[in-house]
Amino acid sequence: MARGLLIVFEGCDRSGKTTQSTRLVQALNGAGVAAKLLKFPDRTTAIGTMIDGYLQQKTRLSDQAIHLLFSANRWEAMDQMRADLESGTTLVVDRYAFSGVAFSAAKKMDPRWCRAPDVGLAMPDRVFFLDIHPDDAAKRAGFGGEIYERREMQIEVRAQFSSMMDKSWSVVDALQDADEIHGQILALANEALERHRADPAPIGRLWT
């Protein structure tokens, strides 16, 4: 059985990642493609609970400590992720290790140090970056409720994401109508699935 694809959604806060990742999973399942949605941070675990308290500004942690917790939150899911991928399930992930680097590097931390804890994670086959300027994101409901939802921070985060993009990334204008965004993403995801069916490859590319 061909493995599933690892598809990641990235972007600044309030760019629509949760909406679009959820819609993609629903569309794939509806078309007979086994697909599963994951979200990072996973706030349901013990580590995720600590992260949630930090993001909601209920607790304080050093920049280094919270960065390592975000990474640990991904690592605790990795065994199951690999099992799902190898069984043929496509995983659609709302935020991944790119966010870890982007947000910490935006706080002037060394990007090389920020990447190190995630070395060995499975790398995604496709990344959809929902692009929105922080001034537009600030107009959306809920903006400002968590610690990183500040204009200056989001501008720097957006720049950090741009520095990490490669040919596996597709930049999507997040100001478009939600249906238009979904249509673009679904077409690109189906294209990637078709290529994979024609030439399936094992999980081999790792975060470095």
Side-chain angles (χ1 to χ4, degrees), residues 94-170:
D94 179 353
R95 288 207 184 280
Y96 197 49
F98 305 105
S99 280
V101 175
F103 279 82
S104 290
K107 294 186 282 185
K108 310 306 180 186
M109 296 170 66
D110 184 346
R112 293 170 299 176
W113 186 91
C114 296
R115 293 182 69 88
D118 291 313
V119 169
L121 290 180
M123 281 290 281
D125 299 285
R126 289 302 303 267
V127 180
F128 295 120
F129 181 76
L130 299 185
D131 191 28
I132 188 171
H133 192 278
D135 289 344
D136 294 308
K139 299 172 186 176
R140 295 186 169 182
F143 186 90
E146 293 195 335
I147 193 169
Y148 294 138
E149 292 179 347
R150 306 186 310 275
R151 182 181 187 276
E152 295 75 14
M153 178 68 173
Q154 295 292 314
I155 288 173
E156 185 58 33
V157 167
R158 189 178 183 218
Q160 293 294 335
F161 274 127
S162 294
S163 72
M164 290 186 280
M165 293 180 183
D166 62 21
K167 64 182 180 180
S168 69
W169 289 55
S170 294

Side-chain angles (χ1 to χ4, degrees), residues 32-123:
V33 177
K36 181 178 177 181
L37 177 65
L38 300 177
K39 299 179 182 181
F40 289 115
D42 177 356
R43 306 188 192 210
T44 67
T45 70
I47 293 172
T49 298
M50 296 174 67
I51 294 171
D52 184 59
Y54 170 83
L55 291 174
Q56 295 193 48
Q57 305 178 70
K58 296 177 181 177
T59 59
R60 297 183 65 180
L61 292 166
S62 72
D63 291 338
Q64 293 78 9
I66 191 61
H67 182 85
L68 294 174
L69 285 175
F70 272 111
S71 179
N73 192 234
R74 291 184 285 274
W75 274 111
E76 63 182 346
M78 189 49 52
D79 285 347
Q80 185 60 52
M81 287 176 65
R82 288 186 176 277
D84 287 338
L85 291 168
E86 290 167 357
S87 72
T89 299
T90 286
L91 298 182
V92 177
V93 183
D94 179 353
R95 288 207 184 280
Y96 197 49
F98 305 105
S99 280
V101 175
F103 279 82
S104 290
K107 294 186 282 185
K108 310 306 180 186
M109 296 170 66
D110 184 346
R112 293 170 299 176
W113 186 91
C114 296
R115 293 182 69 88
D118 291 313
V119 169
L121 290 180
M123 281 290 281

Side-chain angles (χ1 to χ4, degrees), residues 178-190:
D179 289 339
E180 292 181 11
I181 296 172
H182 173 65
Q184 290 177 23
I185 289 171
L186 181 58
L188 290 167
N190 282 331

